[in-house]
Amino acid sequence: MTGEYGRLGVGIALPQTVGTERVDPGGIAEYAQRAEKLGFGSVWVSELLTARVLDPLTLLAHCAAITDGIRLGIAVLLSDLRAPLHIARETATIDQLSGGRLTVGVGLGSKRAVYPAFGLTAERRARRFEEGLQILKRLWEGEAVAHDGFWRLQSMNTAPLPVQQPHPPLWFGARSTAALKRAVRHGDGWIGSGSESAQVFAANNRTLTRLLEAAGRDPRSFATAKRVYVAVDDDDRRARERSRVWFSANYGNPGLADEVVVVGTPERCAEALEEIRRSGAALLVLNPMFDELDQMEALATEVAPLLPPQRGVEGTLATNKTVGRG
């Protein structure tokens, strides 16, 4: 896989799952640096509060220090559980440390039961979510924000400011029509969940296109992506069984693996991935679940070269300019 494939829309998920053993910082560094050398255009983390995973923003800050040019993305941050001022400071710090390489994906998530652990209730959470994002954008842009609503600020601003102007690309994780409408109102892009099937993604992408056109926005300027859990293996049965074990541990639903995981030989994986691209995914975020380093090598050297070049993606994904603030 060359750097061109990275620019043309293939990213890779960083290993986040941990057990009771100590984390291996050297292994994380090796993986992120190898992803960059293999030509992946971006590395991605997620926020799964009910699974044993490393904190996503802390992990991205670590990766900012050990990589040079690969983009860093989160899909998605459960922003409704954090104060906008806190998010603005953390993400702007990562954007500064990385030289303007951060993409911020946000979403509401489906687990209402986690709210009390954060001192919050799920009541009217969609309105609070949207209000928080409006405040976040204003803080990113350097405004001193006074606000009295779900979030209360008295002429608060934040430092540092992001490198990217007016702010890092803001993508949405969204499944329902209401959530897609929020993405159209406030976002620069949309990323489909790894736990939704290719068919659901395609249907949601068609809905998104209609909503963008109705809002007077050019769908070609709106980034579209799909996280795809993948296992390259000549033994389908072995790969599917290992995928079911992973989904049981991280989603509590082993059967979901049968619906969403791309499994098989490099040729079969490439065929399935290209079908997802044809349904509207300008960016594929490939997510190995086990043997991550070996899987990444196989994806780069055996699968990605089989994907036809996808022209025009680079401009679609680079929605915000990476320019310093003078």
Side-chain angles (χ1 to χ4, degrees):
M1 177 172 171
T2 66
E4 180 185 18
Y5 275 100
R7 291 196 302 274
L8 294 182
V10 181
I12 191 82
L14 285 168
Q16 280 183 265
T17 305
V18 296
T20 56
E21 70 279 3
R22 289 188 60 179
V23 174
D24 178 14
I28 293 172
E30 179 186 6
Y31 187 96
Q33 291 165 354
R34 184 60 180 157
E36 190 163 41
K37 289 179 181 178
L38 286 169
F40 287 97
S42 50
V43 292
W44 291 80
V45 296
S46 61
E47 185 163 47
L48 294 171
L49 294 178
T50 56
R52 291 180 176 270
V53 297
L54 297 174
D55 177 75
L57 293 180
T58 306
L59 182 54
L60 287 186
H62 176 65
C63 287
I66 58 177
T67 56
D68 296 316
I70 197 168
R71 284 199 66 85
L72 312 173
I74 177 168
V76 292
L77 185 71
L78 301 177
S79 60
D80 197 39
L81 302 177
R82 292 172 168 83
L85 183 63
H86 194 190
I87 299 173
R89 179 168 295 178
E90 284 189 305
T91 54
T93 296
I94 296 171
D95 203 50
Q96 284 282 347
L97 292 174
S98 67
R101 292 187 277 138
L102 180 65
T103 297
V104 179
V106 295
L108 266 176
S110 59
K111 305 292 186 182
R112 292 173 175 264
V114 303
Y115 276 76
F118 292 85
L120 299 168
T121 72
E123 183 181 359
R124 301 167 71 192
R125 66 183 191 137
R127 288 184 59 185
R128 183 174 59 207
F129 171 72
E130 199 163 2
E131 179 184 293
L133 294 176
Q134 292 169 331
I135 295 170
L136 173 63
K137 284 186 175 182
R138 293 166 65 189
L139 291 168
W140 268 341
E141 293 170 12
E143 182 180 340
V145 179
H147 187 86
D148 187 8
F150 288 105
W151 305 103
R152 297 181 179 180
L153 295 85
Q154 297 180 349
S155 296
M156 298 291 294
N157 54 22
T158 187
L161 297 178
V163 171
Q164 297 175 95
Q165 295 183 17
H167 52 72
L170 184 63
W171 292 11
F172 280 66
R175 302 189 189 200
S176 68
T177 299
L180 289 168
K181 286 180 178 178
R182 288 192 290 269
V184 170
R185 283 197 295 270
H186 304 293
D188 304 305
W190 166 63
I191 181 165
S193 169
S195 60
E196 69 181 13
S197 69
Q199 293 74 23
V200 171
F201 171 83
N204 282 338
N205 187 62
R206 291 192 293 269
T207 299
L208 175 69
T209 299
R210 291 195 297 268
L211 292 172
L212 288 165
E213 291 172 343
R217 300 189 64 178
D218 184 355
R220 293 172 298 178
S221 68
F222 198 85
T224 53
K226 172 79 168 78
R227 181 184 294 270
V228 184
Y229 290 109
V230 60
V232 185
D233 196 326
D234 291 340
D235 187 333
D236 280 16
R237 183 174 180 179
R238 175 178 59 196
R240 289 196 179 278
E241 183 56 36
R242 296 186 73 185
S243 300
R244 288 174 62 87
V245 170
W246 190 91
F247 266 79
S248 177
N250 291 279
Y251 282 92
N253 182 2
L256 186 59
D258 299 329
E259 301 175 25
V260 304
V261 178
V262 169
V263 166
T265 64
E267 292 77 15
R268 290 182 63 182
C269 287
E271 182 180 355
L273 293 172
E274 181 57 21
E275 182 63 28
I276 295 171
R277 290 208 312 189
R278 285 196 294 266
S279 71
L283 170 68
L284 296 172
V285 177
L286 306 181
N287 198 141
M289 297 160 285
F290 42 80
D291 301 336
E292 289 92 348
L293 194 57
D294 290 341
Q295 284 285 312
M296 179 172 66
E297 293 281 349
L299 288 165
T301 61
E302 301 176 38
V303 177
L306 301 177
L307 296 173
Q310 188 174 3
R311 301 300 175 187
V313 173
E314 185 173 7
T316 301
L317 297 178
T319 52
N320 288 19
K321 295 181 179 179
T322 306
V323 290
R325 297 174 182 266

